[in-house]
């Protein structure tokens, strides 16, 4: 069932409904990869899924020649407006299959299979809201907001392209946005750039995920939007939306570990890695189910009764002269400094100790902060081996099209 909610293209101001989009949908019997310049361009194809078919949506900026050839070889026709490049390895469409491309943060993007049902993890009655969707078309986070507008009554959408995010507050005010979903990087950039202007937004719901969520950004969002519920979500293309926390605190309660609740994911920490068994799992490119316990590749640690998800396991643990350092823990500490808007921490090869801790930092607006100031501050709060030896100050928070930090 498709809810006849409103859809607004913030770029043009054009307003339509899902019912009208269904009428625009042109049936395509072959597996199709829709290549779109703008988020709204993908919606007729999404609406057309009610009649079946097999669909992948990808932003034009993410499709290089190699990926295009890979998709065509896997049986997808590439459709970009009126331009159609037929598949080089034709196959029969898998009716109702929706394909997503992972962010590629660990290498080349992978193809993960879902259905509208497995993507629609929010169901039932919700308070009417108008959602801002700033995500890159075809990503898991994009599909989460799109399926909300597609299937839940009273959930209107305002679509903003990632390239237009420097001034998303203006169209949000114009179109009555009351709920916004974004990555921590998106929110940090927003808090830096818009400041007092955000107080004009009557937000009721603030959502963030897709990257590690620390206490500093949750606290800042709570102060910026005192009337909104602030929620962080852990989700991935492979296991779907698995963790939702509304209490304003980083991490999730340790009591949630190893619980078996019908219809909900089972969460575990094994050797410092988050492991999830999810009813919202996808399939791999061959169609094999990603069922059972999935090792997420994300580092997790238990601290003060909370399970903190700190980042990718292969990047989080640094070995400094035989001592283990969590890059995520150092990053969270730096971001707790009142004059720091954003930080990234990594290891760099060094003589004698093998690895030394280094960081990139963006200071808050009008902040008077030097690398030496921050190193001294960190030295008062961290073991000597965990203190960053070099800090590079950046002018602005880097971000990719996926709204994640480009580091």
């Amino acid at each position: 069932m498709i809810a006849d909610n409103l859809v607004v293209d913030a770029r043009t101001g054009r307003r339509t409904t899902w019912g009208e989009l269904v009428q625009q949908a042109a049936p395509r019997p072959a597996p199709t990869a829709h290549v779109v310049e703008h988020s709204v361009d993908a919606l007729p194809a999404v609406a057309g899924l009610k009649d079946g078919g097999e669909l992948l949506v990808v932003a034009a900026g993410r499709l290089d020649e190699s990926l295009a050839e890979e998709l065509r070889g896997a049986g997808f026709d590439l459709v970009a407006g009126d331009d159609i490049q037929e598949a080089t390895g034709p196959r029969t469409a898998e009716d109702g299959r929706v394909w997503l491309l992972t962010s590629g943060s660990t290498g080349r993007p992978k193809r993960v299979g879902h259905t509208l049902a497995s993507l629609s993890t929010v169901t039932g009655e919700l308070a009417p809201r108008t959602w801002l969707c700033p995500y890159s078309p075809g990503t898991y986070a994009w599909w989460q907001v799109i399926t909300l507008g597609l299937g839940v009554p009273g959930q209107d959408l305002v679509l903003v392209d990632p390239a237009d995010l420097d001034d998303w507050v203006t169209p949000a005010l114009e179109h009555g946005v009351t709920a916004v979903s974004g990555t921590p990087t998106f929110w940090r950039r927003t808090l830096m750039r818009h400041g007092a202007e955000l107080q004009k937004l009557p937000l009721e719901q603030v959502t963030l995920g897709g990257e590690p969520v620390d206490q500093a950004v949750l606290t800042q969002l709570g102060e910026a939007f005192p009337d909104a519920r602030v929620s962080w979500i852990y989700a991935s293309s492979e296991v779907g939306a698995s963790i939702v926390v509304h209490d304003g605190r980083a991490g999730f309660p340790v009591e949630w570990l190893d619980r078996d609740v019908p219809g909900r994911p089972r969460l575990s920490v094994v050797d410092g890695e988050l492991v999830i068994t999810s009813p919202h799992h996808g399939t791999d490119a061959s169609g094999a189910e990603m069922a059972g316990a999935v090792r997420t590749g994300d580092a997790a640690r238990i601290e003060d009764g909370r399970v903190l998800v700190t980042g990718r396991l292969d990047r989080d643990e640094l070995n400094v002269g035989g001592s283990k350092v969590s890059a995520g823990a150092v990053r969270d500490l730096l971001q707790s400094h009142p004059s720091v808007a954003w930080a990234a921490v990594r290891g760099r090869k060094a003589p004698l100790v093998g690895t030394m801790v280094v960081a990139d930092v963006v200071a808050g607006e009008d902040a008077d902060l030097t690398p030496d100031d921050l190193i001294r501050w960190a030295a008062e709060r961290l073991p000597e081996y965990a203190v960053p030896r070099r800090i590079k100050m950046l002018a602005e928070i880097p971000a990719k099209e996926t709204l994640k930090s480009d580091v």
Side-chain angles (χ1 to χ4, degrees):
M1 175 181 170
I2 291 181
D4 205 22
N5 294 325
L6 183 68
V7 178
V8 181
D9 180 6
R11 183 175 52 90
T12 64
R14 181 173 178 268
R15 303 163 75 88
T16 187
T17 66
W18 283 104
E20 292 168 346
L21 289 165
V22 167
Q23 297 174 9
Q24 298 173 24
R28 287 194 56 80
T32 303
H34 276 268
V35 185
V36 297
E37 292 286 348
H38 306 290
S39 193
V40 72
D41 298 338
L43 299 192
V46 173
L49 281 172
K50 80 174 189 64
D51 296 322
E54 184 174 1
L55 175 66
L56 183 149
V57 173
V58 60
R62 296 191 68 198
L63 187 75
D64 58 23
E65 183 176 345
S66 175
L67 180 57
E69 289 304 310
E70 179 183 317
L71 291 175
R72 292 178 66 203
F76 289 89
D77 290 347
L78 297 186
V79 178
D82 295 328
D83 179 45
I84 300 176
Q85 298 182 47
E86 293 186 353
T88 56
R91 61 183 173 81
T92 303
E94 186 179 348
D95 209 33
R97 176 64 70 195
V98 181
W99 292 99
L100 284 64
L101 293 174
T102 62
S103 64
S105 58
T106 58
R108 182 160 187 78
K110 296 181 296 184
R111 197 166 70 250
V112 177
H114 277 276
T115 65
L116 283 180
S118 68
L119 290 170
S120 302
T121 55
V122 179
T123 58
E125 292 187 11
L126 295 179
R129 290 197 174 116
T130 298
W131 286 84
L132 185 91
C133 179
Y135 294 109
S136 180
T139 59
Y140 184 84
W142 183 85
W143 275 106
Q144 284 291 279
V145 181
I146 294 300
T147 55
L148 189 64
L150 180 69
V152 182
Q155 308 302 303
D156 297 333
L157 303 183
V158 176
L159 302 181
V160 179
D161 292 327
D164 299 328
L165 288 181
D166 285 349
D167 188 27
W168 67 264
V169 176
T170 299
L173 286 168
E174 179 182 352
H175 298 295
V177 166
T178 60
V180 181
S181 178
T183 61
T185 293
F186 164 86
W187 282 116
R188 288 190 171 97
R189 287 167 65 102
T190 291
L191 291 166
M192 275 192 71
R193 294 184 178 195
H194 298 286
E197 187 182 6
L198 296 176
Q199 297 176 9
K200 303 174 185 176
L201 280 173
L203 295 190
E204 301 167 357
Q205 176 67 51
V206 169
T207 301
L208 65 165
E211 295 176 299
V213 176
D214 66 325
Q215 190 59 54
V217 71
L218 290 170
T219 299
Q220 292 163 9
L221 288 171
E223 293 171 349
F225 304 107
D227 297 325
R229 181 176 70 168
V230 178
S231 307
W232 75 263
I233 297 175
Y234 179 94
S236 73
S237 302
E238 292 87 349
V239 298
S242 301
I243 305 169
V244 183
V245 182
H246 305 297
D247 63 8
R249 297 179 59 192
F252 61 89
V254 71
E255 291 80 12
W256 291 9
L257 288 177
D258 302 314
R259 293 191 312 178
D260 292 308
V261 179
R264 293 189 179 182
R266 188 177 197 272
L267 313 172
S268 301
V269 175
V270 179
D271 297 328
E273 181 178 10
L274 182 65
V275 177
I276 298 177
T277 305
S278 173
H280 311 304
H281 62 77
T283 71
D284 64 21
S286 70
E289 297 283 335
M290 295 178 174
V294 174
R295 300 186 76 97
T296 64
D298 284 321
R301 72 177 191 273
I302 298 173
E303 184 176 297
D304 297 330
R306 307 287 286 193
V307 181
L308 305 177
V309 184
T310 56
R312 300 300 296 173
L313 193 67
D314 58 354
R315 302 176 196 167
D316 187 71
E317 186 175 295
L318 310 178
N319 190 321
V320 181
S323 297
K324 293 182 180 179
V325 177
S326 166
V330 177
R331 178 199 63 232
D332 290 353
L333 185 278
L334 295 177
Q335 288 179 160
S336 71
H337 189 287
S339 295
V340 171
W342 171 91
V345 174
R346 63 189 182 280
R348 177 180 293 177
K349 290 184 179 180
L352 300 181
V353 295
T355 300
M356 67 177 179
V357 181
V358 298
D360 294 329
V361 169
V362 176
E365 190 175 3
D366 300 325
D368 183 16
L369 183 67
T370 69
D372 288 344
D373 292 337
L374 194 51
I375 289 172
R376 283 193 293 269
W377 181 86
E380 297 173 356
R381 294 161 174 82
L382 291 171
E384 187 274 337
Y385 55 82
V387 177
R389 292 298 180 259
R390 295 180 185 174
I391 292 180
K392 181 180 179 181
M393 305 299 291
L394 305 183
E396 63 178 16
I397 300 172
K400 297 184 287 188
E401 186 179 29
T402 55
L403 304 188
K404 299 180 182 182
S405 288
D406 190 13
V407 293

